[in-house]
Amino acid sequence: MSLKLDLCNFSGYKIYPSRGIRLARTDGKIYNFVSKKCRNSYLMKKNPRKISWTVLYRRKMKKGTEADVAKKRTRKAVKFQRSIQGATLEHILAKRNQKPEVRNAQREQL
């Protein structure tokens, strides 16, 4: 046998059968609350994300999730220089370290 559990519209807690309060608005929407405290907070238009004992607050502030999920470590990309076909790495580094005047002179010769 499985129980039909409702969720409190304010706090997010489970509401077991024969517990809680129902509120029906004039537009026909029905709200379920665990306690008077939740109902009155809802009627006072309190924001459940700012009230520390609600589930929404705990989710927003990431409370109680450290034990379940450890943070993933990211790896940094390692830079690696390779030679290109037809030119060795030493040849490429030598060209890079040449002065601009020498490079320009070589271009003009070709």
Side-chain angles (χ1 to χ4, degrees), residues 39-56:
R39 187 189 69 186
N40 290 337
S41 297
Y42 174 79
L43 291 173
M44 287 190 286
K45 298 188 177 182
K46 299 272 185 180
N47 188 352
R49 287 169 192 85
K50 292 184 179 179
I51 297 175
S52 60
W53 51 268
T54 61
V55 173
L56 288 169

Side-chain angles (χ1 to χ4, degrees), residues 20 27 50 62 103:
D27 63 355
K50 292 184 179 179
K62 297 182 177 75
R103 260 194 256 145

